[in-house]
Amino acid sequence: MSYPSQPTPEQELSEAKRRLSLPHIVVICGSTRFMAEMNEADLRETAAGRIVVKPGCDMKSPHALWSDPVEAEAVKARLDELHRAKIRLADEVLVVGDYIGDSTRAEITYARSLGRPVRFTHPEVDPAA
């Protein structure tokens, strides 16, 4: 006798978002040097009826939360994990900017490993192209 397989957490999340009639969720990725472009992408995606999540901190700008180099490393690790959670939550990834650094490349790889579609504001920087 075979038993039905249990849904994965990802399947449960997808079903819950469907039952809640949530709009499409887009996570913005990219270097924080493109924060202005991320804000513009946020505006456009929101105007198109999508929920947008994006980096909430720019560690390249001075702030007391990461002024200590040791604490800055801990903050960066927490923010990286938080951004991976945003990718898991999202239905799609939008990569902003004409440059892909190591962190963004890792986020793209992670998103694709989860089967998330990835769009680019500058398709020529797609590492898979």
Side-chain angles (χ1 to χ4, degrees), residues 29-32 34 76 80 83-84 87 93 95-96 98-113 118 120 123-129:
C29 295
S31 171
T32 55
F34 300 117
K76 178 163 181 8
D80 287 347
H83 204 68
R84 283 188 294 277
I87 292 168
V93 173
V95 179
V96 173
D98 61 359
Y99 162 80
I100 302 292
D102 292 340
S103 293
T104 303
R105 187 177 316 278
E107 291 166 358
I108 293 166
T109 299
Y110 182 65
R112 286 182 168 153
S113 77
V118 180
F120 294 80
E124 69 275 8
V125 300
D126 182 351

Side-chain angles (χ1 to χ4, degrees), residues 59-113:
M59 290 187 67
K60 291 180 176 77
S61 298
H63 194 281
L65 288 174
W66 46 83
S67 61
D68 174 77
V70 173
E71 182 58 24
E73 284 301 313
V75 169
K76 178 163 181 8
R78 286 193 305 270
L79 292 175
D80 287 347
E81 183 55 37
L82 180 62
H83 204 68
R84 283 188 294 277
K86 291 175 183 181
I87 292 168
R88 290 191 302 275
L89 175 67
D91 300 304
E92 177 183 25
V93 173
L94 175 60
V95 179
V96 173
D98 61 359
Y99 162 80
I100 302 292
D102 292 340
S103 293
T104 303
R105 187 177 316 278
E107 291 166 358
I108 293 166
T109 299
Y110 182 65
R112 286 182 168 153
S113 77

Side-chain angles (χ1 to χ4, degrees), residues 15-78:
E15 177 59 18
K17 290 189 310 188
R18 185 194 64 73
R19 284 194 321 267
L20 291 167
S21 300
L22 292 179
H24 194 76
I25 301 173
V26 176
V27 62
I28 295 177
C29 295
S31 171
T32 55
R33 73 174 74 169
F34 300 117
M35 286 301 276
E37 291 89 342
M38 288 182 188
N39 290 335
E40 178 66 21
D42 183 350
L43 177 102
R44 291 180 183 280
E45 294 294 314
T46 299
R50 298 178 188 103
I51 294 173
V52 178
V53 291
K54 65 180 187 188
C57 301
D58 175 5
M59 290 187 67
K60 291 180 176 77
S61 298
H63 194 281
L65 288 174
W66 46 83
S67 61
D68 174 77
V70 173
E71 182 58 24
E73 284 301 313
V75 169
K76 178 163 181 8
R78 286 193 305 270

